[in-house]
Amino acid sequence: MARRKTPPALPLFATRTDRLATPAAAVAPAAEPALPASALPQPFAGWFATRGWQPRRHQLALLDLAERGVDGLLIAPTGGGKTLAGFLPSLLELSQRRAAGLDADHAKGRGVLHTLYISPLKALATDIRRNLEAPIAEMRLPVRAETRTGDTPQSRRLRQRERPPDILLTTPESLALLLSYPDAADSFRALRCVIVDELHVLATTKRGHHLALCLASLAALAPQARFVGLSATVADPPALADWLGFRGAPAQIVRGEPGAPPTVALLQPQDRVPWGGHMGRHAVPEIHNAIRQHKTSIVFVNTRAQAELVFDWLWRLNDDNLPIGLHHGSLAIEQRRKVEAAMAVGKLRAVVATSSLDLGIDWGNVDLVIQVGAPKGVSRLMQRIGRANHRLDEQSRALIAPANRFEVLESLAALEAVEAAELDGDPPRPPCLDVLAQHIVGRACAQPIEPDALFAEVRRAAPYRALDRTLFDRTFEFVATGGYAFAAYERWHRLKRLPDGWWMLASPLVARQYRMNVGTIVELPLLKVKLRRGPVLGEVEEAFIQGLVAGDTFVFGGRLLRFEGVKGLAAEVSPATGGDPRVPVYGGGRLPLSTFLADRVRAILQEPSRHPKLPPEVREWLRIQRLRSTLPRADRLLVEGFPRGGKQYLVAYCFEGRNAHQTLGMLLTRRMERLGLRPLGFVATDYVLGLWGLRAPTDGELAQLFDQDMLGDDLEAWMDESTMLRRSFRNVAVIAGLIERRFPGEEKSRRQVTFSADLIYDTLRRHEPDHVLLQATRQDAAWQLADLRRLGDLLTRAKGRIDYRRLDRISPLAVPVLLEIGREQIRGGSADDELLDEAAQDLIAEATRL
């Protein structure tokens, strides 16, 4: 292993205010003009004027909506002053009321919460609070703004409950906790405004369902509060406006003027683009060179393991010792805060980051974003691109560094979508019953609940507006008694009925368990990584540590570490200087290719006129594919068959994402077995599904394999037999509170959680197969793990339109999927996944021989 350079020490804190407003000079010629600062009262007009800033129309539009008490959804590009637009009405109202002596609570020194800001990321909440400090201090506003997240010290949380700030910046999970306390009604009684930032990220997820239920509760506790959503990338504005309609009507949509279009290009590496692999090491020299040529860069990757590797590779090339940081969610909060503060004051030349820095963070000196690996979605890419040149009139500049040849196609598709200003988004998902169960417990933690009133409150939340009363009652009964299967066991009785028909907690322990396990983010059990006689560096999954023995080395937090042993809930480590290091991987890290991008990739493949935009070796790859077989068409399904090594291979070019392909592979192998094709295995990527067996199917048998009826009995039988439902049930059971991952005084291991979940799952299937959690489990598996919607779309598109090509040997397009067979995950060793062994080179030579 090469000598490892030590990253320079970073400062602990910094502040910026750039995101709050846009300089008057930043108005593009074709943009809607800003208005004079005199449109605002003092001291706001003076504060704008001294900076040469002018309020934008969308900022004043939100002021107007606030004065009329109307909910609003602001859609404006990065750098357009969305944050100030959201907070400006609150700052004005607070300062004017207090200047006029109309705020009795403030005059008596009592804290009353006025505005609640909700962010999907703790880092974003912290950054926005920093940004608010400047206008509050410089205008000497009598306003107090604070954050409350999982990183907030307990002493400050207690003080905030006793004397709330005027503006509280928090996350969905912390809001759920606040709503669970007995003083919740009093804490939120005077709430006037709720701001949800980056709303598009949350709306269609389980976190979004949980947040919607919490906001419905807020609407009941504080009917005078107005709701404001902020977002830069929205594919379906009316749907998002409807999501905000907690008071009976959709929010009014306000659009900001468009900013300068971004400049996005594919990175052209000196080395050839690999046939396979996912990490992008071949592009690291060019990434390092781009960092050298720019002031400050953010290098985005798609997984935490990839972040560790790319950071390590960059440091190996970093002979000029450029200050480069690392940021992902498993690092200790102290390290993340140091990196954030250093970036804010321009002391880093680059930071390698995951989605932990996707949203809203304002580092005005960032002039380049580099996406390593295909982006998987256009909206996600645009969100990341927006971190560069955080000004409305300045073009954001970005480079995409695909990790393999199929990723080149996906990256070109994303680049063309950005040029066309087209966005993608996830469709709404059915109401999540496990989330509803958790929310019912949370409401009962605060005060006794009445089912009729709670049902009406729940239906204020957009994901639950069509919720059937019978389904609600079944979920409520599960929370109260555990349902039929567990009614005899007191430990699952979480509510007890009062004489007046209301329900209260069965025990104070229920509240403690709820608060320790609140939220919908279910991670596998984690162990802290702690230096011997030193600080905690972060957390890794327990399963990774279980695979190590004393003396093994691994890369974490930008350091090479030697594993010494486990002590309590911590893995003790010491600095290492050599060895063959491993890299921790984390469950749920990979995102599937979006449907929108998949359609564009198919279109690129079938239109040779677009191929000149591709690198030469990728163009040649497609040219030989046309000669040897054919290219996939957008309206048909290409399936190739060929012999190799005594086996018969089938490769289907589906482009429906890894989850849908894995489900299809499971179902096809069942059908192949019935047809006597003797299947041996399959492998799925985001783009292609490869299967192999001992006999090739005929044309008629292939049509049977892909018949739509596989989504009937075959799917049911497979889901019942597979581990998918068990895996999904574990998550559902944890979210619903049936299994506590954390318990007062202890934390369950992965093995304990799995054992408990499997035991309960088998019991429910035998004694109550229609249990509400089994229903939630099947819904979850179909939506998230199996991606049945996309699979159904694929089979519909393929019906009667399959191009089955029998070849004498492998085709060029099939090489990447065969390279995946037997490839070990980065879980062990640091071998470069771009470097192909001799057998792989033989495979490529065979495929490209004309």
Side-chain angles (χ1 to χ4, degrees), residues 275 405-406 617-625 812-813:
W275 291 71
R405 298 187 177 202
F406 271 115
E617 62 267 38
V618 177
R619 292 200 303 270
E620 181 67 5
W621 178 50
L622 298 183
R623 185 188 72 82
I624 300 176
Q625 172 68 22
L813 228 56

Side-chain angles (χ1 to χ4, degrees), residues 1-19:
M1 178 177 177
R3 181 179 62 86
R4 186 178 187 78
K5 303 178 183 70
T6 302
L10 303 178
L12 293 178
F13 60 89
T15 60
R16 283 195 65 84
T17 60
D18 299 335
R19 188 170 191 255

Side-chain angles (χ1 to χ4, degrees), residues 669-786:
T669 52
R670 290 175 66 91
R671 294 197 155 192
M672 289 171 70
E673 189 70 44
R674 287 207 303 269
L675 290 173
L677 302 180
R678 302 176 67 186
L680 299 175
F682 75 90
V683 66
T685 72
D686 261 339
Y687 316 100
V688 178
L689 171 66
L691 307 99
W692 58 97
L694 296 180
R695 186 169 76 80
T698 64
D699 289 359
E701 288 172 331
L702 189 81
Q704 292 180 54
L705 287 178
F706 285 89
D707 195 283
Q708 286 175 287
D709 64 4
M710 77 164 61
L711 296 183
D713 293 342
D714 276 349
L715 177 64
E716 292 294 320
W718 167 67
M719 290 186 75
D720 284 341
E721 294 171 7
S722 74
T723 61
M724 175 180 290
L725 287 181
R726 291 181 182 274
R727 192 162 71 248
S728 184
F729 180 78
R730 286 198 289 272
N731 290 345
V732 166
V734 168
I735 292 172
L738 190 64
I739 297 173
E740 298 91 8
R741 190 174 65 248
R742 302 180 188 91
F743 196 81
E746 65 180 70
E747 181 164 347
K748 287 188 176 179
S749 69
R750 178 183 186 181
R751 183 176 300 174
Q752 289 171 318
V753 170
T754 300
F755 175 78
S756 300
D758 287 351
L759 190 62
I760 294 172
Y761 177 74
D762 290 335
T763 301
L764 288 178
R765 287 192 63 190
R766 279 196 306 270
H767 300 291
E768 196 176 356
D770 62 343
H771 192 281
V772 68
L773 287 197
L774 292 183
Q775 181 175 338
T777 296
R778 298 183 75 82
Q779 179 193 91
D780 233 33
W783 181 265
Q784 195 165 8
L785 299 178

Side-chain angles (χ1 to χ4, degrees), residues 564-626:
E564 304 293 351
V566 175
K567 188 173 181 180
L569 292 177
E572 289 200 336
V573 299
S574 60
T577 56
D580 184 18
R582 305 172 74 178
V583 179
V585 295
Y586 302 82
R590 283 187 179 176
L591 293 172
L593 173 71
S594 74
T595 303
F596 176 80
L597 274 186
D599 291 341
R600 279 187 163 271
V601 169
R602 282 191 289 265
I604 288 172
L605 282 169
Q606 86 165 28
E607 296 178 25
S609 62
R610 295 159 77 174
H611 294 180
K613 299 179 182 179
L614 298 168
E617 62 267 38
V618 177
R619 292 200 303 270
E620 181 67 5
W621 178 50
L622 298 183
R623 185 188 72 82
I624 300 176
Q625 172 68 22
R626 285 198 304 272

Side-chain angles (χ1 to χ4, degrees), residues 423-460:
L423 298 174
D424 51 12
D426 296 322
R429 65 186 295 165
C432 298
L433 302 179
D434 51 344
V435 177
L436 175 60
Q438 184 182 126
H439 180 71
I440 292 171
V441 177
R443 296 295 285 130
C445 288
Q447 61 185 9
I449 54 178
E450 196 278 317
D452 292 340
L454 183 59
F455 178 64
E457 178 184 298
V458 163
R459 295 206 353 154
R460 287 189 180 198

Side-chain angles (χ1 to χ4, degrees), residues 656-672:
E656 291 296 347
R658 185 181 306 272
N659 292 341
H661 293 169
Q662 286 179 332
T663 303
L664 180 60
M666 292 286 190
L667 295 175
L668 287 175
T669 52
R670 290 175 66 91
R671 294 197 155 192
M672 289 171 70

Side-chain angles (χ1 to χ4, degrees), residues 267-520:
L267 189 70
Q268 300 294 332
Q270 292 181 359
D271 289 345
R272 59 175 176 75
V273 179
W275 291 71
H278 305 286
M279 294 298 167
R281 181 168 189 173
H282 72 287
V284 170
E286 282 70 37
I287 292 171
H288 182 261
N289 191 46
I291 292 171
R292 292 178 64 242
Q293 295 175 8
H294 290 79
K295 185 192 300 182
T296 309
S297 304
I298 302 180
V299 181
F300 279 115
V301 296
N302 292 334
T303 67
R304 284 170 278 186
Q306 189 180 17
E308 294 281 357
L309 286 170
V310 170
F311 179 79
D312 182 65
W313 294 332
L314 282 172
W315 271 102
R316 291 169 184 267
L317 292 177
N318 195 15
D319 292 331
D320 38 7
N321 216 37
L322 298 176
I324 300 174
L326 174 66
H327 194 289
H328 61 71
S330 292
L331 299 178
I333 179 61
E334 294 80 11
Q335 179 165 342
R336 283 182 275 137
R337 289 276 171 83
K338 283 173 64 176
V339 170
E340 291 161 18
M343 284 291 286
V345 295
K347 292 194 173 182
L348 288 181
R349 291 293 297 276
V351 61
V352 179
T354 61
S355 57
S356 59
L357 293 182
D358 267 6
L359 305 173
I361 305 295
D362 173 31
W363 294 326
N365 52 344
V366 173
D367 55 352
L368 179 67
V369 162
I370 304 172
Q371 167 67 43
V372 183
K376 303 304 170 189
V378 182
S379 295
R380 186 165 184 254
L381 177 62
M382 285 297 295
Q383 194 76 51
R384 291 182 164 186
I385 290 173
R387 301 308 105 219
N389 291 337
H390 215 87
R391 303 291 184 277
L392 195 63
D393 68 327
E394 295 181 9
Q395 287 188 317
S396 296
R397 186 159 187 268
L399 295 171
I400 305 176
N404 59 57
R405 298 187 177 202
F406 271 115
E407 285 198 358
V408 170
L409 299 175
E410 181 187 338
S411 298
L412 176 59
L415 190 152
E416 291 181 348
V418 169
E419 291 174 348
E422 296 177 354
L423 298 174
D424 51 12
D426 296 322
R429 65 186 295 165
C432 298
L433 302 179
D434 51 344
V435 177
L436 175 60
Q438 184 182 126
H439 180 71
I440 292 171
V441 177
R443 296 295 285 130
C445 288
Q447 61 185 9
I449 54 178
E450 196 278 317
D452 292 340
L454 183 59
F455 178 64
E457 178 184 298
V458 163
R459 295 206 353 154
R460 287 189 180 198
Y464 296 87
R465 287 200 192 124
L467 181 69
D468 179 79
R469 179 59 192 257
T470 302
L471 201 50
F472 172 84
D473 289 340
R474 289 174 56 208
T475 307
F476 194 97
E477 177 65 19
F478 155 69
V479 171
T481 69
Y484 168 78
F486 300 118
Y489 301 91
E490 189 174 340
R491 62 164 295 190
W492 282 298
H493 289 211
R494 289 183 281 178
L495 304 179
K496 61 182 179 182
R497 187 184 175 100
L498 300 173
D500 59 2
W502 289 57
W503 294 75
M504 65 175 290
L505 290 185
S507 162
L509 184 61
V510 176
R512 291 180 64 193
Q513 292 169 340
Y514 169 83
R515 292 176 186 133
M516 292 187 70
N517 293 277
V518 70
T520 64

